[in-house]
Amino acid sequence: MKLTEAKTVADLNPKARKRLLGFTFGILAILLILCLIPSGESSDAGEKVEIPEYYIEGFEPVTTYMNLKEWGFTVKKDFDVQAGNLWTCTREDYGITHTVTIYSPKAANKAQSMRLNIMVEPGYASISQGKYFAEKIATIIYDSADQSKARNFVQENYNNDKASIIIGDAVFTMYAPSDYVRMLNVDKYIPQ
């Protein structure tokens, strides 16, 4: 039976049915590809996305990453006009990895936030081994810092997930999502 004589797809012989299905899927594939291709016109018409410039007063990335270099960290710098500046400092010891990331939206001599990640390999190290370094990194230097208060916060909350404290111009948040990971975030405090 020819394609023009059939009333339903079921009336077609197997060869004609395959052709019709192949044709249909081909058209669908072309339409899908056309939908995925960008039109070339942007809905924001070339508008730039502005990154808010909030900084922890007196927190200079160079002071922190130079100290980390002295402690055996490698430092990778990534300066991007649109995404901001990033300093990634890493140190790997037997079974434990420390990574400190410092972020600044634009300025290279000021920072908006810092994050410490401590990860241990199960069976090789204990997450408690990272506590000393977390206490040390909490004592970062900035204008309204209280180093003993920051150190005490980490000592008391190293295993408390989402514990948080405001110390001067910064918010410290401790994350303990598992037995193998700890994170300490230090972010610019922005009053609501």
Side-chain angles (χ1 to χ4, degrees):
M1 182 173 276
K2 293 184 179 178
L3 188 58
T4 56
E5 297 173 1
K7 293 182 182 174
T8 66
V9 175
D11 292 340
L12 293 173
N13 65 38
K15 190 174 181 182
R17 205 174 316 162
K18 282 183 185 177
R19 280 190 203 148
L20 180 61
L21 287 174
F23 178 76
T24 304
F25 284 120
I27 293 296
L28 288 174
I30 290 170
L31 288 174
L32 179 64
I33 290 169
L34 290 175
C35 288
L36 295 176
I37 294 175
S39 66
E41 294 180 22
S42 176
S43 61
D44 56 20
E47 292 178 26
K48 285 185 177 180
V49 175
E50 287 296 319
I51 300 170
E53 288 189 59
Y54 303 115
Y55 297 101
I56 299 171
E57 294 299 320
F59 179 22
E60 296 177 2
V62 67
T63 304
T64 301
Y65 78 72
M66 290 304 287
N67 283 333
L68 292 172
K69 270 185 152 179
E70 288 180 18
W71 297 340
F73 281 74
T74 59
V75 178
K76 180 184 168 207
K77 302 171 192 173
D78 185 15
F79 300 111
D80 187 324
V81 175
Q82 292 180 340
N85 302 317
L86 199 64
W87 295 264
T88 305
C89 311
T90 308
R91 177 178 166 171
E92 293 185 24
D93 294 319
Y94 186 73
I96 188 166
T97 302
H98 298 86
T99 305
V100 176
T101 308
I102 305 166
Y103 173 74
S104 174
K106 291 187 181 175
N109 62 341
K110 303 183 224 179
Q112 184 179 74
S113 64
M114 180 186 70
R115 170 179 271 184
L116 164 66
N117 287 324
I118 301 170
M119 296 175 62
V120 296
E121 200 169 317
Y124 291 98
S126 167
I127 197 65
S128 63
Q129 290 173 269
K131 186 175 181 180
Y132 172 78
F133 184 72
E135 292 171 13
K136 198 89 168 128
I137 199 71
T139 63
I140 61 169
I141 299 167
Y142 59 98
D143 290 352
S144 56
D146 183 335
Q147 294 178 332
S148 63
K149 190 174 185 178
R151 184 181 303 110
N152 289 339
F153 168 75
V154 172
Q155 283 175 350
E156 295 168 8
N157 295 287
Y158 187 72
N159 294 314
N160 295 332
D161 192 35
K162 299 178 186 165
S164 188
I165 189 172
I166 298 167
I167 302 175
D169 200 26
V171 178
F172 288 69
T173 307
M174 192 78 222
Y175 294 95
S178 77
D179 292 339
Y180 310 108
V181 177
R182 291 295 179 273
M183 292 177 282
L184 173 65
N185 283 5
V186 181
D187 297 294
K188 166 70 176 167
Y189 172 63
I190 304 168
Q192 299 300 330

